[in-house]
Amino acid sequence: MAVNDVNRLYSENLDRWQTMDDVCNGARTVKVATVKYLPMTHACDDSTENRARYDAYLKRSVFYPVTKETLQNHVGLAFSEDPTFEPDGMDFLKSDADGAGTSIYQLNQKALGVLLKQGRGGFFVDYPPTENGASRADVAKGIRPVVILYDALQIINWRTKKIGGVYKTSLIVLLEKTTQVDPTDEFKEVDVKVYRVLRLDDLNRYCIQVYTEISGKIEASEIFYPLINGKYGEEIPFIPIGSQANDFSIDEIPLEGLAEINLAHYRNSAEYENSVFICGQVQPVMTELDEDWRNWLNDQGIKLGSMTPLLLPKGSKFEYIQAKEQMIAKEAMDGKMDYMEALGAKVLDKTTANKTATQVTEESATQHSVLSLCVSNLNEAAEYYLKWCAMYHGSGDKAVFSIKQDFARGEIGLEELKFYQSEVVRGAMSNQTFNEIKTTGKVPEISFED
């Protein structure tokens, strides 16, 4: 096998992940894909006229970014309250977790987006070549561990093997894309594919090798062994993340059903906009004209408008006819929009119907169950990458990062407010706590001592 060969499961799901990426990127990306998402009306006609007709058909179509907005709403909901982060000396992760200026908060926001739109990804902890852990001076120079997020499209191959009584990841191939200056032209850049290979060698020692591909030619670097306190690593510091479980299995994509309906809605939109273009203008119609009157009007010319009287013979009729709004394409669009709402397109909308407390609790749990599971998996992954960062850094093993999983924003009734107010008056609750309850609708999480 070559380094750019992909895992069978990767090839089977590549189109799904790419489609989700396109839909979540919005209208521009979807329209650039042309016939992939909007079939040509006369596919067998390859004439210039048919191509021009399709280009106009594509331009008139409207793609509603429902999936993109839903993705953003879900991520915003999960991070509506700041996550808990106790760096335990690894404060550099606050402002720059990946070495590219992305904070640990932003990194996890991106990771949640990856899980919602692709169902899988992974965190890799990298470290510059040193013999021991990084000192404070080394951190100032940029010699420190970094946490890098990879999405499903970048994790192209993987393998596990049994070591003793435990299965460990023995190979991971990560695809990275970058550009570099063309050696023959300083004003031109060429695309470069980089394959980062993480493996356990025959002695089960962790090592890295980088392959670079330019213009179809692949070159391999020397094998590098990252050391921890002068010792070889015994595991690959990469944790896969998923929408259901943090392993290398292919999980369900939470927003896939919504994206499929979003694309179907887009195709209906193209038909609807096309029909509006063709039939949307009013059509003047005259009836009960004999041949002589028809010829006379043609010879004299017909002018329409309130300042130009139109003379017609007795019994004839003049009217404007326009296509009715209740078209099949429009009805299909409306039906799909309703279904997208049911799939979670407007999870933040509040219903005005009266419901019991049990109904509200059950609906909230169902509505946020997938999101909550994704967040839970990110919190679990954080334990791993923080542990690896601490090992490389030489300290920080008590670091904690946790995203809150209680997404529901409560509604406080008048009687509850009166009760909490009475608690403040009698000194059993602080004004600060009372204000937080009024603001968030929830009793704040505080320790027994507080």
Side-chain angles (χ1 to χ4, degrees):
M1 290 179 66
V3 68
N4 55 356
D5 286 337
V6 301
N7 188 284
R8 176 182 58 82
L9 292 175
Y10 178 90
S11 61
E12 290 175 355
N13 291 276
L14 177 59
D15 185 64
R16 295 174 63 202
W17 297 327
Q18 187 61 64
T19 297
M20 289 303 301
D21 246 19
D22 292 345
V23 173
C24 290
N25 281 338
R28 181 174 178 82
T29 304
V30 169
K31 286 197 171 188
V32 166
T34 61
V35 295
K36 179 178 181 180
Y37 303 122
L38 185 62
M40 189 171 287
T41 50
H42 299 89
C44 297
D45 185 354
D46 59 356
S47 66
T48 303
E49 292 78 10
N50 187 55
R51 183 70 221 186
R53 191 181 301 114
Y54 174 79
D55 290 342
Y57 176 70
L58 175 67
K59 189 173 183 178
R60 284 192 293 267
S61 65
V62 179
F63 178 79
Y64 293 68
V66 178
T67 309
K68 179 180 180 179
E69 291 175 357
T70 303
L71 173 64
Q72 294 171 341
N73 288 340
H74 275 78
V75 174
L77 181 64
F79 285 84
S80 58
E81 295 185 46
D82 291 337
T84 299
F85 181 43
E86 300 172 6
D88 190 28
M90 295 192 294
D91 296 82
F92 51 84
L93 294 175
K94 284 184 177 180
S95 58
D96 186 5
D98 64 351
T102 305
S103 71
I104 192 170
Y105 306 100
Q106 295 168 334
L107 191 70
N108 278 272
Q109 288 173 8
K110 291 181 180 179
L112 180 56
V114 166
L115 291 188
L116 291 173
K117 71 178 180 179
Q118 295 179 342
R120 77 190 309 252
F123 289 109
F124 167 54
V125 177
D126 199 9
Y127 190 70
T130 60
E131 294 185 2
N132 299 295
S135 65
R136 192 175 297 274
D138 289 333
V139 172
K141 297 176 183 176
I143 302 176
R144 61 173 181 81
V146 293
V147 184
I148 305 172
L149 171 68
Y150 291 87
D151 63 24
L153 294 169
Q154 295 175 288
I155 309 169
I156 67 171
N157 204 355
W158 57 91
R159 190 182 306 138
T160 60
K161 69 177 179 180
K162 192 172 184 179
I163 301 176
V166 180
Y167 280 94
K168 285 189 176 183
T169 305
S170 59
L171 175 73
I172 303 173
V173 182
L174 304 171
L175 172 61
E176 302 168 4
K177 295 181 181 179
T178 184
T179 59
Q180 70 177 36
V181 177
D182 189 333
T184 62
D185 186 350
E186 65 172 311
F187 301 106
K188 182 181 178 182
E189 289 186 334
V190 292
D191 294 329
V192 178
K193 289 184 179 180
V194 176
Y195 301 92
R196 190 174 302 276
V197 180
L198 317 176
R199 61 164 72 93
L200 295 180
D201 67 8
D202 294 338
L203 300 177
N204 297 322
R205 300 176 302 181
Y206 165 54
C207 62
I208 303 174
Q209 190 172 20
V210 176
Y211 293 75
T212 305
E213 179 181 350
I214 305 177
S215 302
K217 184 179 180 182
I218 299 178
E219 295 182 357
S221 70
E222 296 292 328
I223 296 177
F224 161 61
Y225 286 83
L227 300 179
I228 301 175
N229 295 323
K231 298 180 180 179
Y232 292 106
E234 297 179 350
E235 63 180 342
I236 297 175
F238 182 95
I239 175 69
I241 52 176
S243 61
Q244 295 172 315
N246 288 345
D247 54 29
F248 283 104
S249 61
I250 307 300
D251 289 349
E252 292 297 318
I253 300 174
L255 295 182
E256 187 173 31
L258 178 59
E260 290 175 350
I261 301 300
N262 204 168
L263 288 172
H265 183 272
Y266 168 54
R267 291 187 281 271
N268 289 153
S269 161
E271 289 298 319
Y272 175 69
E273 296 297 335
N274 193 50
S275 62
V276 168
F277 172 75
I278 295 173
C279 306
Q281 297 182 6
V282 294
Q283 175 68 48
V285 176
M286 286 179 257
T287 58
E288 304 299 328
L289 293 177
D290 59 29
E291 188 174 341
D292 291 336
W293 265 98
R294 183 201 66 187
N295 294 338
W296 183 82
L297 287 171
N298 283 335
D299 293 338
Q300 298 298 317
I302 301 174
K303 295 181 180 179
L304 301 178
S306 60
M307 302 300 293
T308 308
L310 182 61
L311 303 177
L312 296 175
K314 184 179 179 180
S316 62
K317 184 179 180 181
F318 171 83
E319 62 181 330
Y320 287 104
I321 295 179
Q322 188 175 23
K324 295 181 179 180
E325 184 182 357
Q326 292 80 11
M327 298 179 181
I328 294 177
K330 182 66 167 59
E331 292 176 357
M333 287 174 63
D334 292 343
K336 289 180 177 64
M337 184 61 76
D338 292 340
Y339 187 51
M340 283 191 284
E341 291 180 11
L343 287 173
K346 294 186 177 180
V347 295
L348 299 182
D349 283 358
K350 296 180 182 178
T351 178
T352 56
N354 293 322
K355 298 180 182 179
T356 65
T358 303
Q359 285 177 315
V360 172
T361 302
E362 289 176 350
E363 287 183 9
S364 179
T366 302
Q367 186 179 64
H368 301 304
S369 59
V370 174
L371 180 59
S372 180
L373 182 56
C374 289
V375 168
S376 176
N377 290 343
L378 287 180
N379 288 339
E380 179 184 293
E383 297 179 16
Y384 285 86
Y385 65 68
L386 288 175
K387 175 191 73 173
W388 291 321
C389 283
M391 291 170 60
Y392 282 127
H393 187 58
S395 64
D397 56 305
K398 293 182 175 61
V400 173
F401 183 87
S402 178
I403 308 167
K404 295 183 180 181
Q405 293 175 242
D406 182 12
F407 310 121
R409 187 178 180 86
E411 293 289 343
I412 298 296
L414 180 59
E415 293 304 315
E416 290 175 292
L417 281 175
K418 288 180 179 178
F419 168 75
Y420 291 128
Q421 178 67 51
S422 68
E423 293 295 287
V424 174
V425 171
R426 73 183 187 89
M429 178 184 291
S430 69
N431 274 302
Q432 181 179 348
T433 301
F434 181 51
N435 181 69
E436 187 168 349
I437 291 174
K438 289 191 296 180
T439 304
T440 65
K442 297 184 293 184
V443 177
E445 298 176 10
I446 55 177
S447 67
F448 176 77
E449 289 77 10
D450 292 339

